[in-house]
Amino acid sequence: MDVADLNPEDGQMRFLPADNRTPVILVTGLDRPTSRRIGDALTSDPGTVQVHHDLSGVGDGRVIRTLTWRESDGRRREVVTVIELAHGCVSCTLREDLLPLLRRLHRRSSVRRIVLTLDPILEPERIAWSIEHVVVDDEPDTPAAPAALDVRVESTIVSVAEELWLHHATGDLGLCEVLPVPPDDERTLAQVAVGQVAFADALVVVGSDPAARDAWESARLMAVLKRLSPRAPMMFELPERPLTPLLVEQLVAAIPPSSRRGRIDGPHDPLLVDQPSLDPDCGVTWMEFHTDRPLHPGRLHDAIDSLLDGVVCARGRLWVATQPDEALWLESAGGGLRVAPGGRWLAAMDDDELARVSPERRALGALRWDDTFGDRHSSLVVLVHRGDPDEIDEALRAACLNEVELAAGQDFWDTLDDPFGRFHADPCDDVDVEAPMVDAPAADRRSGNGRTEDHHDDR
């Protein structure tokens, strides 16, 4: 049986082969109890299995996996398994347990849907990337392949605490200061909070006590959420209106077909996806910065401070004068920022490399092609909530090469001191760890507290 799909480019219906993979819903948020309530609400259907890995005991070397489902007669069943940490690494343990489990659940005729209720320290983007790319090759009578052969990410639901989320997303607390994480996990709370919402297909906002609610702060939070995840339908859980299975299923049904649904964006993809509003609201606005001039590495380093004050997040591509072949990828959340390799410019590629580039990227490159510099450029988007967009723009404009420097050419540019080197993080630290590969997911490209993640390569 085929399914109809609306082509967004011409509005015509296309008929695609039916996708027989088992749908997976990712449920996440910084608050474990709320995520579990959402997961439990989705598991009221007898055809749904909920999978949860509790990592609160990771410091003791164990992970607790819970499978929950309902029998056809409505009885709730639960199976709890204690998993010893493989290699002392959380991501390795989940890779060795979660991905094979997804493939096994797909083969059960009684399972029509899987809900992954994620521990807060597991970022949904990394889980989606692992499902799509990590090969599972030790399942008997099953061909070696990524779990995506059998399952697909249907949606990601993220819970947001009305009172705390914006404070977390704009601060500089380390994740280890709030949640039990492995000692080498140096991500910030802001990274996780912003990353969850930016990847969301639907949001559940957990309301505060009406008597203590600040109307202005609530309005600012809504303005931020609608710009970070513009197409995500939103539901409020209030003390007088708790979550019910019907409400959560209605939220899932309201997710538009064109939502992210596990899609991983790359450094050269559009920076403002889903057409968020560019109009200011409660002081919250997206600002855009574009230039076809290379950036002076020293002045860019100074300008970075403007992205760490009054800003929720920033992301984008940089053309730094001292690095003509490769774009740099900038990503920030709250008070932490990272600049890392972002892939080669089209103008620096040979024919074999160009043949592997998507037609979409080649088309975009052609639209901005310069006879001298090719597709090189800088593009940043910054979500401002208290900062001054004009001051940020002024600081970034000042980082561009001036007329004299531009005319001096690449030989002169190569003599400039480059504080970025292979990569850079702010606040500045002594860092000697090689940056992750650029084809890793954004979750692997980020760092917290100005340091790189020490993670196991899932590829």
Side-chain angles (χ1 to χ4, degrees):
M1 175 177 165
D2 291 338
V3 294
D5 182 58
L6 182 65
N7 187 320
E9 295 183 358
D10 60 14
Q12 300 300 310
M13 299 300 294
R14 301 287 187 265
F15 285 90
L16 307 173
D19 191 337
N20 294 319
R21 295 177 296 171
T22 303
V24 174
I25 297 179
L26 306 180
V27 179
T28 188
L30 292 175
D31 180 42
R32 282 190 179 91
T34 300
S35 295
R36 292 306 300 269
R37 289 198 302 275
I38 297 171
D40 289 344
L42 289 167
T43 317
S44 61
D45 174 27
T48 299
V49 174
Q50 180 181 184
V51 181
H52 174 62
H53 288 86
D54 184 351
L55 304 181
S56 60
V58 66
D60 299 325
R62 62 176 187 169
V63 171
I64 300 176
R65 183 188 73 196
T66 303
L67 295 183
T68 309
W69 71 95
R70 289 191 181 275
E71 301 285 6
S72 57
D73 59 5
R75 288 183 302 166
R76 187 176 186 271
R77 294 287 304 277
E78 187 174 280
V79 175
V80 179
T81 306
V82 178
I83 304 169
E84 298 299 324
L85 282 175
H87 318 301
C89 168
V90 173
S91 61
C92 292
T93 300
L94 296 180
R95 181 179 63 226
E96 294 171 9
D97 184 73
L98 173 60
L99 300 180
L101 176 63
L102 292 177
R103 300 200 69 185
R104 292 196 299 272
L105 289 175
H106 166 73
R107 283 160 173 75
R108 294 185 186 178
S109 59
S110 60
V111 176
R112 298 193 299 271
R113 183 175 68 176
I114 302 168
V115 173
L116 295 185
T117 303
L118 303 180
D119 190 276
I121 72 173
L122 292 175
E123 295 179 75
E125 185 177 17
R126 175 171 293 182
I127 298 299
W129 185 88
S130 298
I131 289 173
E132 189 70 28
H133 295 285
V134 176
V135 174
V136 178
D137 57 5
D138 55 358
E139 285 295 288
D141 302 320
T142 303
L149 180 69
D150 300 320
V151 302
R152 58 181 171 82
V153 176
E154 181 182 71
S155 58
T156 300
I157 303 176
V158 176
S159 63
V160 171
E162 183 182 27
E163 282 188 296
L164 297 174
W165 188 88
L166 193 54
H167 174 70
H168 290 159
T170 56
D172 55 9
L173 281 177
L175 193 63
C176 62
E177 298 177 69
V178 181
L179 297 171
V181 296
D184 60 349
D185 192 332
E186 296 177 331
R187 291 173 295 166
T188 65
L189 192 63
Q191 268 187 277
V192 176
V194 171
Q196 288 174 345
V197 170
F199 202 71
D201 296 302
L203 298 171
V204 175
V205 180
V206 183
S208 57
D209 182 349
R213 185 172 298 148
D214 184 317
W216 174 254
E217 289 301 311
S218 294
R220 284 204 316 130
L221 171 65
M222 292 300 105
V224 170
L225 296 180
K226 289 177 180 178
R227 282 156 180 76
L228 266 181
S229 194
R231 291 195 183 181
M234 201 177 302
M235 182 180 74
F236 290 83
E237 184 189 29
L238 303 171
E240 66 275 16
R241 188 175 184 248
L243 293 175
T244 66
L246 177 60
L247 288 174
V248 176
E249 293 292 355
Q250 288 175 341
L251 179 69
V252 172
I255 297 172
S258 57
S259 287
R260 177 184 290 272
R261 298 183 184 271
R263 185 191 71 245
I264 306 294
D265 293 328
H268 293 274
D269 290 330
L271 299 176
L272 287 176
V273 295
D274 296 336
Q275 299 179 332
S277 172
L278 300 181
D279 296 328
D281 183 7
C282 300
V284 177
T285 186
W286 277 115
M287 68 151 287
E288 299 178 89
F289 171 81
H290 305 287
T291 180
D292 292 325
R293 290 189 175 216
L295 297 163
H296 186 290
R299 296 201 297 271
L300 175 62
H301 182 268
D302 295 337
I304 276 178
D305 286 345
S306 68
L307 303 177
L308 301 177
D309 186 15
V311 169
V312 177
C313 62
R315 58 177 179 262
R317 300 174 291 274
L318 302 174
W319 173 23
V320 178
T322 48
Q323 302 190 41
D325 293 337
E326 186 170 45
L328 296 185
W329 173 256
L330 179 148
E331 193 168 27
S332 79
L337 176 146
R338 173 85 185 281
V339 178
R344 291 169 67 81
W345 297 111
L346 297 177
M349 292 183 181
D350 58 31
D351 291 342
D352 290 339
E353 291 173 312
L354 285 170
R356 295 192 292 269
V357 174
S358 69
E360 291 81 7
R361 184 183 169 192
R362 289 201 299 269
L364 289 173
L367 289 174
R368 67 179 320 124
W369 196 265
D370 178 86
D371 290 340
T372 303
F373 300 120
D375 61 321
R376 296 177 180 92
H377 68 284
S378 294
S379 292
L380 286 175
V381 293
V382 185
L383 184 56
V384 180
H385 77 110
R386 292 188 188 276
D388 185 335
D390 291 336
E391 290 182 1
I392 296 172
D393 184 81
E394 182 180 351
L396 293 172
R397 295 285 168 201
C400 297
L401 295 188
N402 59 35
E403 293 291 343
V404 174
E405 293 166 333
L406 185 64
Q410 190 66 56
D411 288 343
F412 167 73
W413 304 347
D414 289 340
T415 67
L416 300 174
D417 289 335
D418 187 349
F420 297 97
R422 281 278 294 157
F423 65 94
H424 181 76
D426 252 34
C428 296
D429 276 332
D430 293 327
V431 188
D432 57 6
V433 181
E434 185 173 326
M437 297 294 287
V438 297
D439 57 348
D444 282 350
R445 292 196 302 268
R446 290 194 295 266
S447 71
N449 289 340
R451 292 176 289 274
T452 58
E453 278 187 52
D454 181 14
H455 70 278
H456 289 255
D457 191 344
D458 285 344
R459 291 162 293 166

